[in-house]
Amino acid sequence: MDSENPSAPASTQSRIPGRNHPHARPLSGVVHDHARHTENFTVIGNHLAQHAELSLLAIGLGCYIQSVRPGTAVDIKTLAARFPEGPTRIAAALRELEEHGYLRRTRERTPTGRIVTHTVSCNRPGHRSAPAGPAVRPARRPAPDKPPPRKRLPAVPQPAYTSPDVLRTAVDVLGGLRRRDPRLLLSAVDAEHLAPGVAAWLEREVTPAAVRHALTENLPEPLARPAALLAHRLAAQLPPLPPFRPPASSAPAPRHPFQTCDGCDRPFRAPEPGPCRDCRATLEEAV
């Protein structure tokens, strides 16, 4: 009588169609019927074909651009004539590809003055192959560094009344400072900023010569910012206003009424009747 062997392997289970067989057809979704390409094909990365952010039009346009031969025109006008989407949608799709690194577009001017656009298709964004031979383009010169921002000049006093003649005199004073010291050669912008400060000195009855002396006396060494020094001196050494003097009376002399001389009947102006000046002198001599 046979006895059972508990360590014996269990009987092989049959495969369930659709689950265990490696070539079984899936229950849903796409089924691929592939044939191996040996010519006239392009390798497209799934990072483009299945891109999560690109539109379907951008993905298709990217695949088309990667499939064409070098030198093929891929500008908006040519693509709009090739596909039915129109130039607006084509331009938007090209911008998508450019933003995600699948295209690089640069505009350059030819020796004849014509503006052309160079388009580079990237099948793997971020990777740049080093070109060799005559196809190497000369590297563009880096943009020159911008000059540091110009420091603002200190504020200067402002005159109580702005007069064109006073401002003109102030500019003349500033323009003459370079004759005393060549380092005080000012730009037109600096002179325009400093002129109201000089005018404030002039309206305090300070002569132009006195202003020049105050601005040019004991200049420091070295003199790095002459305009800033002048602005500081105009504000720090501003003299006080002159004492108030009431304006001179300009009222006209009173006009007396006409009187008739008691001695010669000649009319003359006087506050009261009586003799005229000649008759009064004769009477004084007689006495």
Side-chain angles (χ1 to χ4, degrees):
M1 184 175 178
D2 295 336
S3 61
E4 293 184 0
N5 185 1
S7 61
S11 59
T12 304
Q13 298 180 355
S14 63
R15 292 181 177 179
I16 302 175
R19 289 188 181 180
N20 299 326
H21 198 278
H23 301 289
R25 178 177 298 179
L27 298 179
S28 62
V30 67
V31 176
H32 296 286
D33 185 7
H34 286 168
R36 183 179 179 82
H37 293 292
T38 58
E39 60 181 358
N40 195 25
F41 66 93
T42 302
V43 177
I44 302 293
N46 284 341
H47 52 82
L48 171 61
Q50 301 177 12
H51 202 285
E53 298 180 12
L54 289 175
S55 65
L56 186 60
L57 176 58
I59 292 175
L61 194 57
C63 293
Y64 169 77
I65 294 175
Q66 290 190 20
S67 70
V68 297
R69 294 179 178 273
T72 303
V74 289
D75 57 279
I76 297 175
K77 182 178 180 180
T78 302
L79 294 174
R82 170 67 173 77
F83 298 102
E85 279 72 15
T88 302
R89 296 184 62 191
I90 293 289
L94 291 176
R95 285 195 297 270
E96 287 185 62
L97 294 172
E98 193 170 14
E99 291 173 0
H100 287 82
Y102 289 97
L103 284 184
R104 296 197 304 268
R105 293 186 291 181
T106 57
R107 302 186 66 184
E108 298 180 4
R109 185 183 298 274
T110 64
T112 61
R114 181 186 174 191
I115 301 296
V116 296
T117 301
H118 293 284
T119 303
V120 178
S121 174
C122 308
N123 70 340
R124 191 171 64 185
H127 171 75
R128 295 197 181 195
S129 58
V136 177
R137 294 181 180 275
R140 293 186 177 182
R141 294 182 180 178
D145 295 335
K146 294 183 179 180
R150 189 173 183 268
K151 294 182 179 180
R152 298 181 60 180
L153 295 178
V156 298
Q158 299 296 314
Y161 301 98
T162 303
S163 169
D165 294 336
V166 175
L167 289 176
R168 191 177 303 111
T169 303
V171 173
D172 292 341
V173 170
L174 294 169
L177 297 181
R178 62 188 179 190
R179 299 188 183 95
R180 294 178 175 244
D181 193 316
R183 296 176 298 172
L184 297 180
L185 176 62
L186 302 174
S187 67
V189 176
D190 291 341
E192 183 180 1
H193 177 83
L194 298 172
V198 176
W201 282 56
L202 296 176
E203 74 175 2
R204 284 164 166 76
E205 299 182 357
V206 181
T207 63
V211 176
R212 293 190 190 95
H213 179 74
L215 294 179
T216 58
E217 185 182 17
N218 297 327
L219 293 176
E221 292 288 348
L223 183 57
R225 299 181 62 205
L229 173 67
L230 297 178
H232 171 74
R233 289 191 171 186
L234 288 172
Q237 304 178 18
L238 179 68
L241 289 170
F244 175 75
R245 290 189 296 269
S249 176
S250 59
R255 295 176 62 86
H256 299 297
F258 282 104
Q259 308 290 345
T260 301
C261 178
D262 295 337
C264 63
D265 292 335
R266 186 173 62 181
F268 68 97
R269 290 184 179 274
E272 296 178 355
C276 66
R277 180 174 54 184
D278 294 339
C279 293
R280 188 166 53 251
T282 303
L283 292 175
E284 292 176 354
E285 290 177 358
V287 175

